Amino acid sequence: MSNEELVIGLQEYEYADLMLVDIVAIAFNFYMIVKCERLIRLNKNELSIESSGAAFSLINLILFLSNLVWAISLSNQFSWSFFGSCIPFSIDITYIVMSLLVIQFSYMVIVKNYYFSKSEVQEHTSYKQTNYHKEDLDELASKIRDVLKYQQPYLNQEFSLKELADLCEADKFKVSYTINKVLNTTFTNLVNSHRVEAFIKLTDDDRLKHYNYVGIAQEAGFKTKSTFYKSFKEIKGCTPKEYFLTSEKTKAVNPAIA
């Protein structure tokens, strides 16, 4: 039916069930849009991930505007003529745009799922009073160091706090608490510091002599180029190229990776 026919039917409450479904859908969409934006900002700051966060935010903004148009079309008893100057196009266009954006957003979530993982920031900022004994925490801290040193689980790009807790046979919250309160760092920084050292050692590996810096960084467990370079500079105080130019390792680095 045309927009005019739909409006007349809605004004006469012939499609009350449709109105209710739309209202519930819009409310749920707004809730999810706000939640996604918060997760994107939180994890972007914590993980130092690349500019694809801006793409997520742009899609989120357009989804917000699409839902706003949808909500306007439902308001004022669906008086389309009143909003005609504001929404001069068919509401079907809004539905199509929203569907395409949801598909694109879903694809990006699959490819970059770490944006929507539970951030460690949320965990260690919510610490409450605990009854952990200092001796237990010191012992766990030592175990964490040993696991990272000898098992090197951080070489896996998907390595998580939960996996570390499993390897230490300890509670995830307790491991996070120990990292923050005993080791005085965060899980992300702790893992990235080990990955930086692994990267430096891997530059001497003949198997990787044809790899560039980013390729070697991925072998060391880094998932993205930006995370690698930012972590390296924070830990070593310089870029990888500057590090090798000013160290004794310069002669050991194959020109192909410079």
Side-chain angles (χ1 to χ4, degrees), residues 12-77:
E12 295 176 355
Y13 299 101
E14 294 179 8
Y15 308 107
D17 54 343
L18 178 60
M19 292 174 62
L20 179 60
V21 170
D22 280 12
I23 292 171
V24 171
I26 291 173
F28 179 77
N29 287 346
F30 278 131
Y31 168 76
M32 293 305 298
I33 288 169
V34 172
K35 189 172 181 66
C36 285
E37 185 62 26
R38 289 182 61 189
L39 282 171
I40 291 167
R41 291 183 180 181
L42 182 65
N43 285 352
K44 185 175 183 180
N45 291 334
E46 175 65 9
L47 300 176
S48 303
I49 43 191
E50 69 276 23
S51 59
S52 56
F56 272 115
S57 295
L58 178 60
I59 293 176
N60 234 21
L61 175 62
I62 300 176
L63 283 171
F64 174 83
L65 295 175
S66 298
N67 276 272
L68 186 61
V69 170
W70 188 5
I72 289 175
S73 71
L74 289 171
S75 65
N76 197 32
Q77 294 185 337

Side-chain angles (χ1 to χ4, degrees), residues 49-137:
I49 43 191
E50 69 276 23
S51 59
S52 56
F56 272 115
S57 295
L58 178 60
I59 293 176
N60 234 21
L61 175 62
I62 300 176
L63 283 171
F64 174 83
L65 295 175
S66 298
N67 276 272
L68 186 61
V69 170
W70 188 5
I72 289 175
S73 71
L74 289 171
S75 65
N76 197 32
Q77 294 185 337
F78 294 80
S79 181
W80 189 264
S81 58
F82 178 80
F83 290 107
S85 59
C86 298
I87 310 174
F89 49 82
S90 169
I91 194 64
D92 289 342
I93 295 177
T94 300
Y95 293 148
I96 293 172
V97 170
M98 287 175 60
S99 298
L100 293 175
L101 288 172
V102 168
I103 292 172
Q104 178 63 27
F105 193 92
S106 301
Y107 170 76
M108 293 177 68
V109 168
I110 293 172
V111 174
K112 303 182 182 298
N113 59 350
Y114 47 86
Y115 271 96
F116 299 94
S117 61
K118 186 177 181 181
S119 175
E120 184 197 355
V121 172
Q122 294 173 310
E123 294 186 20
H124 68 69
T125 55
S126 61
Y127 288 140
K128 297 179 181 179
Q129 186 67 32
T130 63
N131 296 319
Y132 298 138
H133 296 293
K134 184 178 184 302
E135 295 78 8
D136 291 340
L137 294 178

